[in-house]
Amino acid sequence: MNTRKRRKRVTLYLYNDDFNSFDTVSLALMTYVPRCNAIRAEQLALLAHNSGKTQICSGFSPAIYQVQANLIRSGLIIETK
């Protein structure tokens, strides 16, 4: 009998706000999101600004929840699905 727990994949979304600058958002994304370099961070910030929200990363709990907590602590608006 297989008793392993299935891990749930979680996706993080970044929402546009009116009080964080592009530099602040880019720095937070580069710092806390795995495999996110400066170019990707700027692209994500621009996508969130233009469309209202964008998917920034996905992964398995609890590691993805640590990324979410760090981004929220940085002042960004993050949602999980």
Side-chain angles (χ1 to χ4, degrees):
M1 185 169 178
N2 190 356
T3 59
R4 292 189 308 173
K5 288 178 104 176
R6 293 194 76 178
R7 296 187 304 170
K8 181 180 175 186
R9 179 170 282 280
V10 179
T11 304
L12 296 181
Y13 291 91
L14 170 67
Y15 281 86
N16 184 33
D17 59 33
D18 293 329
F19 48 88
N20 285 315
S21 67
F22 282 104
D23 292 337
T24 304
V25 174
S26 295
L27 182 61
L29 292 173
M30 285 187 302
T31 304
Y32 298 116
V33 176
R35 299 176 305 279
C36 186
N37 60 18
I39 294 171
R40 182 68 180 148
E42 287 180 17
Q43 289 174 341
L44 291 171
L46 193 58
L47 281 169
H49 177 73
N50 289 334
S51 63
K53 80 172 186 177
T54 188
Q55 177 182 339
I56 54 173
C57 68
S58 64
F60 297 101
S61 58
I64 199 73
Y65 289 119
Q66 184 64 44
V67 173
Q68 178 192 18
N70 288 332
L71 291 172
I72 290 172
R73 199 174 307 121
S74 296
L76 304 183
I77 301 172
I78 305 295
E79 178 187 50
T80 59
K81 287 191 180 180

